[in-house]
Amino acid sequence: MQYYFLALPLVILCPKSDLSIIDRNNPAIANGDLMSVIAQVLDYLATYEVKTSVPHADYPRIGVPLFNVKGAVAGLHHSLERARATTRAQGLFEHQLDGWLSAYLAANTAERRGFVDALGFATPGQLGLLGWLALERLNEQPALTIVAAWAGLAGGDYLLLENAICRGSGPGVMRAIRAASSELADDEAVGLLHAVLRSAPAVNASLAIAGLAANRLDHPDVIDLLFATLPDRDLGMAAAVSLSASRQPEVHARLKGAVSRQHGLVQQRAQMALHISAVERGME
């Protein structure tokens, strides 16, 4: 019974001669090896050529497959790899933290996501040890940025999280900022933003402004911090772009006041924020 769900895509798509995968005489089915059956089904569907086409939504003269079977199979492969990696990573927590990090670095994209998923099952002690160990290796292995950051976030160690964002590099920095923005309470996120702007390189600080301030433009401390950042040569542009997204009349009034009463970079960036805001409202 547990294999019947595997039969549906094959029965719909395949001729009867191709149904040997789900035949009860298949050794994998006879041995109860569900994962092998799934792998066989996915391998078959990965090479399946869809015979029915429909007009493309934007270019009706071009035909596209009625069902994107190969795309669906690729997504399933990704999910299975990720799930297997999560299980494997959980087994490495006990006494092999060095091995955990080495396995993460050797993994592909789907497997790395599975390793990060496994952090949700670790104890606070394991998260602390693993996170600070990852942080020590960031200079040589920037791919560990998300590991250190997520360990800090999941374990409630916000100093670790802050250090990972400030010292990290590569795409993991923005992933860490987005995760923090989603998981932290507003006051915690604002505190993190203050800390990152004090300590991080300009690139990381700009990403923090974009990722942590965007959803908190109704928070007075965020608005004050963005206005205070306008004269900064490296970060003022990022602050202006964030302020341009505010729909609060008070913020627009402060920007207009900066244009009329300030000079130099503050005036220029306030003017830019108002211009971007006007353009975006015109496109709505």
Side-chain angles (χ1 to χ4, degrees):
M1 293 293 292
Q2 62 180 321
Y3 299 103
Y4 283 2
F5 78 97
L6 297 172
L8 183 58
L10 294 180
V11 170
I12 293 173
L13 296 173
C14 308
K16 291 183 179 179
S17 59
D18 291 330
L19 295 178
S20 59
I21 294 173
I22 56 171
D23 189 278
R24 68 180 59 190
N25 295 319
N26 181 339
I29 290 181
N31 295 329
D33 188 353
L34 178 60
M35 295 306 296
S36 292
V37 178
I38 292 175
Q40 291 177 39
V41 171
L42 293 181
D43 287 344
Y44 179 88
L45 293 177
T47 60
Y48 180 79
E49 295 294 335
V50 177
K51 305 297 191 299
T52 305
S53 297
V54 294
H56 189 282
D58 298 318
Y59 305 97
R61 294 185 181 181
I62 299 176
V64 295
L66 177 59
F67 300 110
N68 185 7
V69 176
K70 291 182 179 179
V73 170
L76 286 171
H77 269 303
H78 185 283
S79 297
L80 288 171
E81 282 189 297
R82 183 171 177 172
R84 284 195 292 264
T86 299
T87 301
R88 180 188 173 201
Q90 288 179 260
L92 293 173
F93 277 134
E94 290 300 326
H95 305 291
Q96 302 181 55
L97 295 184
D98 278 330
W100 197 103
L101 295 178
S102 297
Y104 173 85
L105 291 170
N108 61 34
T109 300
E111 291 167 338
R112 285 186 176 187
R113 290 188 178 273
F115 269 68
V116 173
D117 292 342
L119 296 176
F121 300 96
T123 67
Q126 291 168 339
L127 289 170
L129 290 172
L130 185 69
W132 286 102
L133 184 60
L135 190 71
E136 291 176 6
R137 301 184 182 180
L138 282 191
N139 289 340
E140 297 79 22
Q141 298 290 350
L144 293 176
T145 298
I146 189 62
V147 175
W150 193 258
L153 187 59
D157 187 344
Y158 298 144
L159 181 60
L160 174 58
L161 173 62
E162 175 193 329
N163 272 275
I165 292 173
C166 290
R167 294 169 52 186
S169 59
V173 175
M174 195 62 203
R175 283 183 61 198
I177 290 169
R178 286 173 177 160
S181 183
S182 173
E183 297 292 328
L184 294 179
D186 283 348
D187 288 343
E188 293 169 334
V190 173
L192 177 62
L193 180 58
H194 275 277
V196 172
L197 294 192
R198 283 195 304 268
S199 306
V203 172
N204 296 28
S206 295
L207 292 175
I209 289 173
L212 293 171
N215 297 330
R216 296 174 174 85
L217 292 175
D218 57 347
H219 197 295
D221 288 348
V222 171
I223 296 301
D224 289 343
L225 180 59
L226 292 176
F227 272 98
T229 307
L230 286 178
D232 189 290
R233 289 191 175 276
D234 296 320
L235 304 178
M237 292 283 284
V241 171
S242 290
L243 286 170
S244 73
S246 174
R247 293 295 181 263
Q248 295 186 55
E250 298 85 354
V251 172
H252 282 253
R254 286 181 68 175
L255 288 170
K256 291 176 181 177
V259 171
S260 62
R261 293 190 294 272
Q262 299 289 333
H263 59 275
L265 289 176
V266 174
Q267 182 187 59
Q268 294 168 19
R269 285 160 178 175
Q271 196 164 23
M272 184 188 74
L274 289 170
H275 175 72
I276 294 173
S277 179
V279 170
E280 290 180 346
R281 286 201 305 273
M283 297 175 62
E284 291 176 352

